Amino acid sequence: MTETRIPSRVFPRAATEAETAKHGVSTPQTEHPAYKLAFQDMDFLLSEELRPVRFQLELLKPELLLDEAKIGSMMVFYGSARIPEPGVKSTNPDPQVAASLEAKSRYYDEARKLAALASTTPVDEAGMRHFVVCSGGGPSIMEAANRGALDVGAESVGLNIVLPHEQAPNEYVTPGLSFQFHYFALRKMHFLLRARAVAVFPGGFGTFDETFELLTLIQTGKIKPMPVIMFGKEFWHRVVNFDALAAEGVISAKDIELMTFVESAEEAWQVVQDFYAK
């Protein structure tokens, strides 16, 4: 049999068809919105009825790009967007609150150091990268995490969310791994799909939301256990009375063991190493 070249595809690509559609004839029919290709019709794509499709797209786009980047696992960082870098004054107008935030600036340094440690993890035999740093992409603790990865020449992930007030990714996120989400639920899913360790720094509602969802998933067996490392035992025990929850019977005493409290990056990284050494 004579050797022949078999084409890889017989249908044109959607991008090609979209370009062809731009240069069609102009008639009342072709100018009407109904004639637009479905994937180019923004009114259609943003309609209420297409919400399930938008969910799928927001799940799929980061997944494909993270696969392409050979990211096998991530070290996820949760924490406040308000704690300043050491030496930088808080913008909070209340002097007492500003002083409290500035006193927590050491956690910026610890997040940065931990991110650098995690980013030294070598690739595996298949070329997959592990414990790649991932943050919410914003300022403060999130910035420190991405910055720590960059300190050692490593790439890092940022998962930003559209908010009513202007928000941009911090300058240390790898541009090709910087994602923006509309749905909080999909963003939180991407935090955990590849997470193999999570470092939690002092934070507010957002940090609580992400952390307690993670703890619930582990507690209920929906995901496998992983290191959940809580920075600042004094802070966490002051703002959440875990022992009282156990005493009231709404959690078990063993559930408190899902978290490990630490004060330094070195201590946190040792927790991760010990967990996976087992």
Side-chain angles (χ1 to χ4, degrees):
M1 177 180 174
T2 304
E3 188 175 321
T4 58
R5 185 173 183 276
I6 307 299
S8 60
R9 61 186 300 136
V10 292
F11 287 101
R13 295 184 181 277
T16 304
E17 291 284 78
E19 190 62 30
T20 302
K22 282 185 189 177
H23 306 294
V25 296
S26 178
T27 70
Q29 291 78 20
T30 63
E31 294 299 323
H32 195 279
Y35 195 71
K36 286 182 180 179
L37 288 167
F39 55 80
Q40 289 187 306
D41 187 341
M42 293 307 297
D43 289 335
F44 172 64
L45 289 174
L46 298 178
S47 66
E48 290 293 314
E49 293 79 7
L50 266 287
R51 181 177 287 118
V53 175
R54 294 197 299 276
F55 262 68
Q56 186 176 7
L57 291 173
E58 198 152 281
L59 176 65
L60 190 58
K61 180 182 176 182
E63 184 73 4
L64 293 175
L65 291 173
L66 291 169
D67 278 345
E68 189 178 293
K70 292 187 174 296
I71 295 177
S73 68
M74 300 195 303
M75 175 111 193
V76 174
F77 288 68
Y78 294 152
S80 175
R82 304 183 185 191
I83 296 172
E85 180 181 356
V88 176
K89 291 290 185 182
S90 169
T91 57
N92 193 291
D94 185 320
Q96 188 172 349
V97 174
S100 177
L101 288 168
E102 289 165 17
K104 295 180 181 66
S105 64
R106 67 184 184 87
Y107 291 119
Y108 184 104
D109 279 345
E110 295 305 324
R112 186 174 175 181
K113 286 189 285 186
L114 178 57
L117 288 169
S119 297
T120 61
T121 305
V123 299
D124 66 16
E125 303 81 12
M128 301 298 289
R129 294 186 277 174
H130 293 283
F131 296 110
V132 175
V133 168
C134 174
S135 84
S140 189
I141 297 300
M142 296 173 277
E143 173 188 287
N146 297 115
R147 188 175 182 179
L150 191 61
D151 285 340
V152 293
E155 294 188 328
S156 65
V157 180
L159 306 182
N160 281 76
I161 186 81
V162 177
L163 297 173
H165 51 84
E166 184 179 355
Q167 189 206 41
N170 70 67
E171 62 182 303
Y172 304 104
V173 179
T174 301
L177 298 175
S178 182
F179 305 101
Q180 184 173 215
F181 291 82
H182 170 63
Y183 298 107
F184 265 108
L186 273 300
R187 178 179 182 246
K188 288 196 290 183
M189 180 172 283
H190 273 292
F191 273 132
L192 296 182
L193 281 172
R194 286 174 168 77
R196 297 300 179 268
V198 177
V200 184
F201 291 81
F205 287 162
T207 302
F208 275 54
D209 176 38
E210 293 155 352
T211 304
F212 281 97
E213 179 167 352
L214 167 61
L215 291 171
T216 301
L217 289 169
I218 298 174
Q219 179 200 48
T220 57
K222 292 295 288 183
I223 61 174
K224 292 180 179 179
M226 68 178 74
V228 182
I229 306 160
M230 312 290 285
F231 275 79
K233 185 174 184 177
E234 182 185 349
F235 169 84
W236 286 109
H237 279 270
R238 186 170 70 253
V239 298
V240 183
N241 194 331
F242 295 105
D243 293 329
L245 289 173
E248 292 287 340
V250 292
I251 65 171
S252 70
K254 194 168 183 63
D255 290 334
I256 301 175
E257 297 175 10
L258 298 177
M259 302 166 282
T260 304
F261 294 93
V262 303
E263 299 299 329
S264 72
E266 293 79 10
E267 189 181 357
W269 188 235
Q270 190 63 53
V271 169
V272 176
Q273 290 179 304
D274 291 345
F275 182 91
Y276 287 103
K278 295 175 183 178

